[in-house]
Amino acid sequence: MSIKLKFSIIMILVLLSKGAFSQDKNFYIFLCFGQSNMEGNAKFEPQDTTVDQRFKVLQAVDCPEIGRVKNNWYTAVPPLCRCKTGITPADYFGRTLVANLPKKIRIGIINVSVAGAKIEVFGQDTYQSYSATAPDWMKSMIGEYNGNPYARLLELAKLAQKSGVIKGVLLHQGESNTNDTLWTKKVKAVYDNLVKDLNLKAKSVPLLAGEVVNADQGGICSSMNKIIATLPKTIPNTYVISSAGCPCSADHLHFTAAGYRELGRRYGLQMLTLLGVKNPEVK
């Protein structure tokens, strides 16, 4: 076989491989994980159901009742987590980005969260032992992620990388780990695994971590915010999102729909700053 023919074959294979892996650099993907406040505890309202088609969600579980099949992209009309979850910070995070970024940019969300769960449910050395002792209602949620929430998040993230570029990670978790001084190290282990397993660069993939219901709202886990505030010392490219003034529900554990909207906007405004957007508008 001549050198010229060999070169032609190689070029054809390269072109075919590019066609099979059509990644859009203008499709920004964000990974979301946590417990019930990232799932979305408050019911979404009519104003939350009008969504720009540039904002997408990669479905994590099958939801035939709302016409969604897992592993497929849909316009990000809530719910963005599982079939019967509510409005989440990710809703207005995505809306805020879409409203302030060029029309060519699309936003994609992946949300894998487990209500009531400690961060250990995402730890690859701890999820099995943690799940084994979890209450039945939580085991059912974990089961929707094939028994391993981290692995499911990773599977979806790898699928998303075929379509777009992972630009950040959103975390809202901590209520079940209140006053756990090792929490920051446990979060770091999950974040480091994502960076390694997805071949990412930590400097290019910030972690945005939201505070739990604030003391100014009578948050019953608000002492955890002191620990969350130290997360940037453990994971340098981390930004803590304040929950001050975000309204909460009667249980003082979850946010109201208005609280989720405001917290989500704050996540979005922080990300826009990191993306170099000056003077973003609050949407």
Side-chain angles (χ1 to χ4, degrees):
M1 184 182 297
S2 69
I3 294 176
K4 186 176 180 179
L5 180 57
K6 287 182 179 179
F7 178 77
S8 298
I9 292 173
I10 291 171
M11 289 304 298
I12 290 171
L13 292 173
V14 168
L15 290 171
L16 287 173
S17 66
K18 286 184 177 181
F21 189 84
S22 181
Q23 186 183 63
D24 182 356
K25 300 294 184 182
N26 291 320
F27 190 17
Y28 294 178
I29 310 297
F30 296 90
L31 312 181
C32 306
F33 72 103
Q35 52 184 112
S36 57
N37 274 318
M38 183 55 87
E39 276 190 345
N41 184 263
K43 292 182 179 180
F44 49 87
E45 299 170 357
Q47 64 178 297
D48 306 314
T49 60
T50 300
V51 183
D52 191 311
Q53 292 189 355
R54 290 164 50 217
F55 181 26
K56 302 293 185 182
V57 61
L58 184 56
Q59 189 67 21
V61 300
D62 285 324
C63 292
E65 59 267 51
I66 57 174
R68 293 183 186 173
V69 178
K70 66 183 180 182
N71 301 338
N72 287 280
W73 290 103
Y74 297 91
T75 301
V77 176
L80 302 188
C81 190
R82 288 176 295 102
C83 307
K84 297 181 180 180
T85 52
I87 185 173
T88 161
D91 282 279
Y92 280 78
F93 166 80
R95 290 166 186 251
T96 302
L97 264 60
V98 164
N100 285 277
L101 291 170
K103 297 295 184 182
K104 66 180 180 180
I105 303 296
R106 294 181 298 142
I107 302 298
I109 291 292
I110 298 169
N111 191 338
V112 173
S113 299
V114 182
K118 290 185 175 182
I119 194 65
E120 281 84 348
V121 80
F122 292 97
Q124 290 310 279
D125 296 329
T126 56
Y127 80 93
Q128 289 179 311
S129 58
Y130 182 78
S131 300
T133 59
D136 288 342
W137 57 266
M138 188 184 295
K139 286 180 179 177
S140 177
M141 293 179 186
I142 295 170
E144 290 190 67
Y145 300 128
N146 302 321
N148 186 342
Y150 174 84
R152 183 61 180 138
L153 179 61
L154 181 64
E155 179 183 20
L156 289 165
K158 288 183 175 180
L159 178 61
Q161 283 182 312
K162 296 179 181 180
S163 301
V165 181
I166 294 173
K167 289 286 188 176
V169 179
L170 278 60
L171 169 69
H172 198 286
Q173 195 280 332
E175 294 90 347
S176 294
N177 288 85
T178 298
N179 300 325
D180 179 357
T181 57
L182 297 178
W183 180 82
T184 56
K185 292 183 178 179
K186 295 171 184 177
V187 172
K188 185 178 187 300
V190 179
Y191 174 80
D192 287 350
N193 280 339
L194 285 171
V195 169
K196 179 187 67 176
D197 293 341
L198 294 169
N199 296 313
L200 302 172
K201 294 181 179 179
K203 291 183 178 180
S204 302
V205 185
L207 173 65
L208 278 57
E211 291 182 337
V212 300
V213 173
N214 207 275
D216 67 12
Q217 302 295 311
I220 61 175
C221 296
S222 62
S223 61
M224 186 62 186
N225 287 335
K226 293 180 180 179
I227 293 175
I228 294 173
T230 68
L231 193 56
K233 295 180 181 179
T234 303
I235 308 172
N237 197 16
T238 295
Y239 301 84
V240 175
I241 310 303
S242 172
S243 66
C246 293
C248 71
S249 63
D251 64 10
H252 295 279
L253 181 65
H254 300 102
F255 298 95
T256 62
Y260 285 117
R261 292 184 195 109
E262 177 57 27
L263 188 62
R265 291 185 188 103
R266 294 178 185 181
Y267 274 94
L269 291 172
Q270 177 63 73
M271 193 65 221
L272 286 167
T273 298
L274 297 174
L275 291 170
V277 177
K278 296 182 179 178
N279 302 316
E281 297 181 27
V282 178
K283 298 289 185 178

